[in-house]
Amino acid sequence: MPGMVVFGRRWGIASDDLVFPGCVELFVRILWWIGTVILYCYHKGHFDCNGRGVLHSYLVGLLVVLAFIILSLCAIVYISAQGTITNPGPRRSIPALVYLRALLYIPELVWACLGAVWVSDDSKGCDPATVGAVISAVIASWIILLFTVVGVVFVFDPLGNPRPEPSVIEPLGVRDMQSSERSQFFSTARTLAVKVWECRLRLLCCCLPQDESHRAAFSSISQLFSRFFSDTDLVASDIAAGLALLHQEQDRLDHSRDPSVVLSHSPSSPIEEDLEAELEKAAHFMQFAAAAYGWPLYIYSNLLTGPCKLSGDCCRSRAAEYEVVGGDHLSCHFSSILHSTGLQYRDFIYVSFHNQIYEIPFYVALDHKREAVLVAVRGTLSLKDVLTDLSAECENLPIEGVSGACYAHKGISQAAGYIYRKLINDGILNQAFSVAPEYKLVITGHSLGAGTAALLAILLRNSFPTLQCYSFSPPGGLISKAIADYSKDFVVSVVLGKDLVPRLSIPNMEDLKRRILKIVSNCTKPKYRILLQGCWYELFGGDTDDFPTEMDDRRAQQLSQPLLGEESLIIRPSSSYQSFASDDSPAHTATHLPLFLPGRVLHITEDGPTRRSCFSQVRYRAEWSNEMAFRSILISPRMLTDHMPDAVLRALNSLTSEKPYSLCPSTLNNSQDNTI
């Protein structure tokens, strides 16, 4: 629901978000009160140490203060648990209870100071257990006050002015003047929102140099974030509840859908042979894409043996052998690449670990097994790479021979341009092909590196007509439809399971936001129950029929309470927002330009049940899909783990070694992913 309005401003917390923190504090306060009662009863009638009057007053006052706090917390928890996300009527008294609870911090602070004075001045000769108990009570008071201050800072909303009440109907001239003032107000609010997001990014990236390129990136990302988050009136817990409901709804639809019929193909089928050959190549080149991450991924994938293998190589002096390497001060990155790929020092033409915004590490090597000059681009591994990822506005990318609109992800396009200039202007590719003129060019990468590799391949296509690109888990919002169609002849994108990143684009995020707004508006359960059941469902599963989300049985007395509709969760109309009466994806009508995955899409999924034992063998299924099947974000616990490079490499190795998989060469028209 909308953020709670107290103390004259809107906060980043709703009136139904106080259940869990209230229960935690209530549990602590009850234990504290019981301990104080025991201490008071133990000393009742014989406060015979120094300062006994102060100690007696402290214990009695503490019992009274704790009793009032416990009662106020019980009321807050009970009231906060009433209603639903969009039905705040039963929680109308929450602001008054918050004011009461805030007032009770004053006597608690006074009593904490009183206890501290007694311990420091009048506790001599008293029972050490009593002194320790009072010290514990004083420390507990200060800790709770500290956590309260941290919580207030955490939920503070710099843009948290209360939403203005809708104005009454006025004559036309007055209404036009108010409309102009409202537009000016929203323009000022948007400018302020951009500045706030820019300050947040600067604070988050305070360790980075504040040069012109970083300032431009901060400004671009801030405008994107402010536009995306400023048109809704939801708090973080509303989004979490919506994601939990969407996951359950998605699983319910999957379970109710009839199993798809897979047509059998003969072993000599050209489509199947093409798929099997591409899987073999993809498994091979994924090793190089994963190796580009350097020692962090190598250590993560080889926890027992990795540190021992690298310890003998790092910091060793090899000045002559490392002439091609730049930016690897301790040589650990390059050593891990050697271990991961099995190549020799002489096989590397150029290795760069230089990393700035729009400038990402890559290496060029000779792959003798596949007779290829290989360019491998690293994925996201630093804060600078994250800024490159988040620069998601569109940028024109004119490609010779491509008709139609040509544009691409700005940050990734800039990164591809940087590597392109290094390869061509510095003569790196000329040097490689002078060593192996008969080899072909192959470009690969994972995640950010996959998107960069695809755009780099598109830029180099006219100069190297036979090049190939293997793009593993590329970002979904990458290139326009015209460039995506153009790249199908030489780019293969590999996507594992329900990976979030290949489905991540601004239109898809707008679609997800619309679906969250719709599902939380139609849910009859209080938020705390949604979150509890959502956590249980993610951890242990369950029957999706036990998680109803639609408001089917509204009673008249329920509807008599103030109910926030779907439209009332929108602060102001957004260019990307559609009416809830339509179920069409805004990806088709949003003002944000649609961006797609590059090339042909090879989708790998797990065969069998969604939830399986940790010791059961994983069976994979591979099929050709298309970029239109990734227009909606799937909610799943594996939406992030499926993106990890080691998971992609493990799936490809499983597909090509013992072949515990099924080849499903479905046509592009019939290959559609399950969407929410």
Side-chain angles (χ1 to χ4, degrees), residues 278 282 469-472 487 490-494 598-602 624:
E278 293 296 348
C469 174
Y470 288 88
S471 176
F472 301 96
S487 65
F490 55 94
V491 177
V492 173
S493 293
V494 179
R600 296 184 296 165
V601 182
L602 181 57
W624 288 114

Side-chain angles (χ1 to χ4, degrees), residues 506-562:
I506 297 178
N508 287 1
M509 289 296 293
E510 294 286 355
D511 175 50
L512 178 64
K513 180 170 64 176
R514 187 185 75 94
R515 293 178 183 276
I516 289 176
L517 289 170
K518 181 175 182 179
I519 202 164
V520 300
S521 301
N522 291 332
C523 183
T524 57
K525 290 185 177 181
K527 189 192 298 182
Y528 79 95
R529 287 187 59 193
I530 297 174
L531 295 176
L532 284 176
Q533 292 182 346
C535 290
W536 180 272
Y537 184 79
E538 299 298 339
L539 293 174
F540 306 105
D543 186 358
T544 55
D545 292 335
D546 295 335
F547 302 93
T549 60
E550 295 298 328
M551 301 182 73
D552 297 328
D553 302 317
R554 296 181 179 177
R555 298 192 300 271
Q557 56 267 32
Q558 290 176 323
L559 293 179
S560 64
Q561 299 288 352

Side-chain angles (χ1 to χ4, degrees), residues 400-590:
E400 184 180 351
V402 178
S403 59
C406 294
Y407 49 87
H409 182 290
K410 176 182 177 180
I412 299 178
S413 177
Q414 294 282 337
Y418 159 75
I419 299 179
Y420 176 85
R421 290 187 295 272
K422 297 288 289 185
L423 295 177
I424 301 301
N425 297 345
D426 294 356
I428 298 174
L429 288 183
N430 288 336
Q431 180 184 353
F433 283 106
S434 66
V435 177
E438 72 281 4
Y439 283 13
K440 62 183 177 182
L441 179 62
V442 176
I443 307 174
T444 188
H446 172 267
S447 189
L448 170 63
T452 306
L455 288 183
L456 180 61
I458 292 169
L459 294 175
L460 292 171
R461 169 67 169 175
N462 289 330
S463 301
F464 300 90
T466 61
L467 72 78
Q468 289 182 304
C469 174
Y470 288 88
S471 176
F472 301 96
S473 308
L478 185 62
I479 52 179
S480 63
K481 189 66 168 64
I483 303 180
D485 292 338
Y486 168 75
S487 65
K488 290 183 184 298
D489 292 335
F490 55 94
V491 177
V492 173
S493 293
V494 179
V495 178
L496 175 62
K498 298 182 179 180
D499 186 355
L500 169 67
V501 174
R503 297 174 171 86
L504 204 57
S505 66
I506 297 178
N508 287 1
M509 289 296 293
E510 294 286 355
D511 175 50
L512 178 64
K513 180 170 64 176
R514 187 185 75 94
R515 293 178 183 276
I516 289 176
L517 289 170
K518 181 175 182 179
I519 202 164
V520 300
S521 301
N522 291 332
C523 183
T524 57
K525 290 185 177 181
K527 189 192 298 182
Y528 79 95
R529 287 187 59 193
I530 297 174
L531 295 176
L532 284 176
Q533 292 182 346
C535 290
W536 180 272
Y537 184 79
E538 299 298 339
L539 293 174
F540 306 105
D543 186 358
T544 55
D545 292 335
D546 295 335
F547 302 93
T549 60
E550 295 298 328
M551 301 182 73
D552 297 328
D553 302 317
R554 296 181 179 177
R555 298 192 300 271
Q557 56 267 32
Q558 290 176 323
L559 293 179
S560 64
Q561 299 288 352
L563 186 66
L564 294 175
E566 297 154 351
E567 306 293 342
S568 64
L569 294 176
I570 302 296
I571 293 178
R572 56 180 174 271
S574 170
S575 59
S576 59
Y577 176 74
Q578 283 186 325
S579 171
F580 285 94
S582 171
D583 287 330
D584 295 333
S585 171
H588 302 290
T589 59

Side-chain angles (χ1 to χ4, degrees), residues 58-73:
Y58 172 76
L59 293 177
V60 173
L62 184 60
L63 286 173
V64 174
V65 172
L66 287 176
F68 278 106
I69 291 176
I70 290 172
L71 291 176
S72 66
L73 288 174

